Each structure stands twice: as C-alpha cells, then as structure tokens.
Amino acid sequence: MCGIVGYIGSRDAYPIIIKGLQRLEYRGYDSAGIMLFNDGEIKVSKTKGKVADLQSKSGNELNTSGTIGIGHTRWATHGVPNDVNSHPHLSNSGNLAIIHNGIIENYAPLKQELIKRGYTFSSDTDTEVLVNLIEDVQKKDGLKLGKAVQVALKQVIGAYAICVFDKNKPDEIIAARLGSPLAIGVGENEYFIASDASPFIEYTSNAIYLEDEEVAIIRRHKPLKIRKVKDDSLVDPYVQELQMNLEQIEKGGYDHFMLKEIYEQPNVVKDTLRGRLLANDGIIQMAGIEDNLEKFLNADRILIVACGTSWHAGLVAEYIFEEFARIPVEVEYASEFRYRNPVINKGDILIAISQSGETADTLAAIKLAKERGAFVFGVCNVVGSSISRETNAGAYTHAGPEIGVASTKAFTTQITVLTMIALRLAKAKGTLSTPEFQKYLQELELIPDRILEALETNDQAKIIAAEFKDAPNCLYLGRGYNFPVALEGALKLKEISYIHAEGYPAAEMKHGPIALIDNQMPVIVIAPKQGHYDKIVSNIQEIKSRSGRIIAIVTKGDTQVRDLAEYVIEIPETSDALSPLVTTIPLQLLSYHIAVMRGCNVDQPRNLAKSVTVE
C-alpha cells in the first residue's frame, strides 16, 4: 500500500524521487521521506503528511545533490503516522537505510531478539526491525549487503517490497519483493526502482518486474543481477516494454484524477472492446477464452473472487454469466475466501478480478485455488502485474492507469470484459439464440456512446449534490443487475465524501432499512425502464409515503418515476443486462461533486490507498 521510489545513475536523484513519489501518492499519503547519498554520508528527511510537505521540508534540510537515493510515501500499518515512523529507516550504526512496503508478521520476536543483542529502536515500525536484522546478519557473518538481505529475508514471515542502501557500498541498491509489487526501470547506465512504472515512464520504456522471493542487486554502470532468496540461484531478468505513456498519468486539465477517469470511460470501454468485439460479423474473440474454451464449457461452476469495487463487478458478472451462459456462479470476497477452507474442485474455474493485479487477498485466493486444482483466469488492468503472472490465463481491461483511489473506469471496463466472456460462452453453448446474441453484440458496441450520453448528466448531478452534500446518511436501492450498482454507488459516496451510505436490493428495504427513512433521508433509486421496473416503482411509492427524499436514475423519457421523485437523472436506454455500464455513471458524478463541495480530498481520501497489497 506504500509507494517506493529509487534511483541510481548519473542524473540528480532528488527531482526524480520527488516526482515519482507524487505519482505514487495514490498508494499512501500519511507520511513521506527521502534518503540521498552525498558527501560520503546518508542524508534523510521525512515527515508526517503528504509529499508536498516532504518537498518543503527536505528543500530546507538537505543538500539535494547526489545521484543515488530512495524515497517512500506511506500508508501506515505498524505505528501511527508521524515523523519518526516515516520511512526511510536507518540501522543502529547509521550505515544502512531502508524503505519498505508490506508487513513483517513476526517482527515482534525478531525485535526482542535484536534488543537482547543490544539494538535499540526509535520507531514503532516493523521496518526498523528489518533494517537492523539485515545489519545484524552483516556483522555476524561478514556478508556483503546483497547476501545479508537474502539471509535476513529467510527469517522473515510476511510481505515486503524493499530497497536497501549501505553507505559503505555507495554504488549499489538492493531491492527485493514478496507479495508487494516492485518494478525496475532499465535505462542507459541507470536504474529506476518503483512500486509501479509511473515514476520512470518518461525516462525509459523498459522495465523488469521482480517476482516473489527475488532479490535484485542494482549497481551503477553494471548489469543488474537477480537472485532467488531461498537458494541463491541466478534468474535471467525479463525486460518488458511498458504499455503506458506520460500523458495517461497526468490530469490533462481536469481538477482531479477521479473526474478525468470518469470522463475517460467512453474511450477506455471502446479500447476494451477493440479487436475483441466484431459486432457486424457476430464475433467475440478473446485469446484467453479461445485457448481455454473447453475448460469453461465443461466447468461445474465459476467462482469469482475480488475485493471492493472489483467485487461489485463480480456481482454484476454473476447475473450475466448465469443469464447468458447458464453456468452457476458464486462470488466471494477474496479476504474471506482464503481463510474459510472453501470447497474447490478440479472442475471449477476461478475468475480473479483486480484493477492493480496486486491485491494481496486476491493473490492469496488464486494460490489457494491453484493448489486445489482449479483453473484460474485473471481479469486485471496492469500489464505485468502479479495476478497476470500467477493466473493460468486472463484478459486485460485496457483501462489505462487509474490514479484516483476511488475506482471508476476500472469498474466499467471489468464489467465489459466479463460481459464479453459470458457472451462468448453463451454462443459456444447455444444458450442464447443467434438473434439474441447478435442483439447483445450490437448493444455492447453502442455502450461507449451510451456512456458519453450519460456523462451529460454532470450538471444535474451537481445540482443534486448541492442539495444533499450535508446529509449524514444515504440509502442506495437497485434490483437485479442494478443491485450491485447500488452497492458501488454507496461505496463511492462513503469513500470520497465520508457520508455513511448503504446499498440494498430494493425489495429488501422492507426487511429493515425502511425504518431509517424519514424526511431527512436521501434515497437514490436506480430505476431504468428495462428490468423489474414495476416492482421498483412500488418500492419508490413506499419510500414516498414515508417522506423519503427520492433521487431516481431513470431511462430518458420516463414519466412515472418522475412524478414520484424529488430529483431525476435521465440516462439513455439500453438492455437490462448492460444497464450497469450506464447507470453507474451518474452515481460516480454525484459522489464526486458531493465530495468536492464538502472540501474532501477526492483523489486521496483519508485512510485509503489505491492498491491493497497488505492484509
């Protein structure tokens, strides 16, 4: 969940690291720090707060020259956010500096053993334990830094991505990972290290993604070496060409990344469909499905595992797979799935969904499913991510970098990919007639235009936001395909505006939530003309009779719900199964404007980080 940046080469390291931390701040932003090596000494500046606070402080505290350095932006796990707990951490001698993303689960007994050996600790972090463990191994066994890191990591239980620097080896950085992502940018006689490729995209298009339990020995002007932690064997580095550009990770004139990403959805959904959907020819072609079609067709069931917004996309997929392909589907929180001894059979297919491809619980669920013989298919956005490497096959969403912590375009592109898979299986199984199949292909091809039209509701969303920005609670209701959209709408509002919100199936309102409704309670009802329209109209009437304040998402031209609701937002008509791709848009806009009007940090909501790479 933290952001790591490192540089070694001939350029000034400071501006590279600061800019890199700014790009990684979506991963954590409660404190930040930087280490530079100059004049033969390690120089550190760190502070509670954001990277901007670090930039102000370090500019006054440090000689910012130097061509080697490491930096960190933190999402706290061990120890409250403050200057002392911020990274980098130094060893007792002051010779070693470390930055760390992850959790060392056995840090407490390691710490007690080190205290017995005379080590002292100034922070509450597990990271300070790790750097002193590495130093202790160095001292006891007389090892070089790279080997000492390997030996120390064999004693560690948990997850980590680390960069370690030794002032006695001033032309070297050691990097290692287990369970937390780490990329190495390979330039001309220079190397960049980061949690993802965004900090070095303007310097090089070549990257190496470390695998679990690999240690990279990165030396100035020398070829990089990668070794396995367990057996010290050498690994041939695999250099990938990056699939992003600088323009994709800049705001492009928008006030926030989240708003930019909301407005990118017509184009990114089009990118997701491109080359896969050939509507006029009646074809859906996806390599990951075509190569494994028999496995899907013979599957006893499909298990979907995900977290957060990706879990909501999985819920939509459950409706779509069962409706189109008639395959039974179960959707699980990855965080629960991995701990409850689930029943997994060799005839099962597990679909793992993750925007980042690095979600720790989802990765653990994948490994569990593979151990028990299931075929695992990944749906993720980031090329070269851990999930894309761990799964048997998969499909990328092609959403481009998503920087805003509250996920938007990831949700719609995930649903798009999952819908195409369901339709392809339906064609192969014959569970949709040819006219039905063709109709859905034509409608899916039109979805980017439907989303573009739905974005025209922005002004109406802003008006409604002004009315309800101070509401303490909010209820979201939907039925069928749009019940998961109600959950997602409530999550967006909670995440970025800090208003308590809940999503419910509209029919469940009578089983409890209706007790909350009064003339102060905003109720957002997703009520498109397709689907269970008459039923949801009845639910709206129940809310109105109890003086609830109704905001309805309706199909353009609707009059029945308009007469009942206080506010309506009109969206273009599409089929019931595809409607989540459109109904979610005004909910994203509404949450965004409420958060802005409340003065919240939209892109970096409190206590959250973009990629949950620790448990």
Side-chain angles (χ1 to χ4, degrees), residues 288-460:
I289 298 298
E290 299 304 323
D291 294 345
N292 300 283
L293 189 58
E294 290 303 315
K295 288 186 174 67
F296 276 90
L297 296 179
N298 295 323
D300 296 325
R301 61 173 176 163
I302 292 174
L303 294 165
I304 296 177
V305 295
C307 300
T309 287
S310 297
W311 184 74
H312 296 155
L315 290 176
V316 175
E318 179 179 18
Y319 285 88
I320 294 171
F321 274 96
E322 293 192 344
E323 176 73 21
F324 291 176
R326 307 307 296 157
I327 300 173
V329 176
E330 295 177 26
V331 184
E332 301 264 8
Y333 281 115
S335 54
E336 290 296 314
F337 181 83
R338 62 181 293 197
Y339 287 117
R340 67 169 182 80
N341 192 22
V343 177
I344 306 171
N345 300 310
K346 289 187 177 181
D348 293 336
I349 287 178
L350 182 132
I351 297 178
I353 312 171
S354 167
Q355 187 282 136
S356 67
E358 301 293 348
T359 310
D361 287 321
T362 307
L363 277 164
I366 288 169
K367 291 174 182 177
L368 176 61
K370 286 174 72 176
E371 287 168 4
R372 299 192 182 180
F375 178 81
V376 181
F377 189 92
V379 175
C380 69
N381 185 35
V382 180
V383 176
S385 61
S386 296
I387 283 177
S388 71
R389 299 195 301 272
E390 282 286 341
T391 48
N392 300 115
Y396 288 115
T397 57
H398 301 307
E402 190 178 62
I403 306 300
V405 167
S407 190
T408 52
K409 62 180 180 173
F411 181 65
T412 46
T413 54
Q414 286 167 353
I415 293 173
T416 302
V417 164
L418 293 161
T419 300
M420 285 192 290
I421 295 171
L423 285 168
R424 178 66 185 94
L425 297 180
K427 181 181 182 183
K429 292 186 70 176
T431 48
L432 284 178
S433 68
T434 299
E436 287 175 320
F437 178 74
Q438 190 63 41
K439 180 196 76 167
Y440 281 119
L441 263 56
Q442 298 288 352
E443 290 204 19
L444 190 55
E445 188 175 52
L446 292 172
I447 284 295
D449 294 333
R450 300 285 183 262
I451 295 174
L452 188 64
E453 194 174 343
L455 288 168
E456 294 173 6
T457 65
N458 182 62
D459 289 344
Q460 179 68 355

Side-chain angles (χ1 to χ4, degrees), residues 37 57 145 158 167 195 335 383 414 599:
F37 183 74
K57 185 178 182 184
L145 179 61
K167 77 172 188 178
S195 296
S335 54
V383 176
Q414 286 167 353

Side-chain angles (χ1 to χ4, degrees), residues 3-5 14-25 51 73 194 196 198-200 203:
I4 283 173
V5 182
Y14 180 79
I16 293 170
I17 293 170
I18 290 294
K19 187 185 291 184
L21 292 178
Q22 289 168 340
R23 290 183 183 160
L24 290 181
E25 203 164 17
V51 175
T73 180
D196 66 40
S198 61
F200 54 77
Y203 304 106

Side-chain angles (χ1 to χ4, degrees), residues 105-315:
E105 294 177 6
N106 63 332
Y107 84 100
L110 291 172
K111 185 174 184 176
Q112 290 306 311
E113 184 62 31
L114 289 168
I115 288 171
K116 289 178 186 177
R117 297 182 194 174
Y119 288 86
T120 59
F121 297 88
S122 58
S123 78
D124 300 318
T125 68
D126 52 345
T127 306
E128 191 181 12
V129 174
L130 181 55
V131 72
N132 281 302
L133 176 63
I134 294 167
E135 179 161 279
D136 190 61
V137 170
Q138 265 189 317
K139 286 180 178 178
K140 284 193 307 178
D141 301 331
L143 300 176
K144 293 181 180 179
L145 179 61
K147 187 63 177 176
V149 169
Q150 287 178 257
V151 172
L153 290 179
K154 288 180 182 178
Q155 302 176 46
V156 162
I157 299 170
Y160 55 79
I162 59 172
C163 289
V164 189
F165 175 77
D166 183 347
K167 77 172 188 178
N168 295 313
K169 300 277 287 182
D171 291 319
E172 178 180 276
I173 294 175
I174 304 298
R177 71 154 282 181
L178 173 62
S180 292
L182 207 57
I184 301 170
V186 182
E188 192 72 34
N189 294 318
E190 61 184 352
Y191 295 99
F192 307 81
I193 309 155
S195 296
D196 66 40
S198 61
F200 54 77
I201 186 63
E202 68 253 57
Y203 304 106
T204 180
S205 59
N206 297 318
I208 296 167
Y209 292 90
L210 287 187
E211 301 285 354
D212 279 350
E213 297 188 300
E214 288 184 351
V215 175
I217 300 93
I218 306 165
R219 297 188 179 105
R220 196 193 307 269
H221 306 312
K222 290 186 178 180
L224 176 143
K225 286 185 179 179
I226 298 175
R227 293 186 177 275
K228 285 289 187 183
V229 171
K230 285 186 177 179
D231 59 13
D232 196 38
S233 59
L234 276 171
V235 176
D236 287 333
Y238 173 57
V239 180
Q240 298 188 34
E241 187 173 352
L242 296 173
Q243 302 296 312
M244 70 168 73
N245 57 56
L246 188 59
E247 184 180 340
Q248 289 178 303
I249 57 174
E250 302 294 351
K251 288 182 184 175
Y254 289 91
D255 290 337
H256 299 93
F257 280 111
M258 182 181 178
L259 186 62
K260 177 195 176 204
E261 288 155 9
I262 289 171
Y263 273 87
E264 284 177 340
Q265 287 173 110
N267 287 332
V268 296
V269 169
K270 194 176 293 184
D271 289 342
T272 302
L273 296 171
R274 183 176 289 118
R276 293 165 164 172
L277 173 65
L278 306 174
N280 292 334
D281 298 324
I283 292 173
I284 287 177
Q285 53 187 17
M286 304 175 73
I289 298 298
E290 299 304 323
D291 294 345
N292 300 283
L293 189 58
E294 290 303 315
K295 288 186 174 67
F296 276 90
L297 296 179
N298 295 323
D300 296 325
R301 61 173 176 163
I302 292 174
L303 294 165
I304 296 177
V305 295
C307 300
T309 287
S310 297
W311 184 74
H312 296 155
L315 290 176

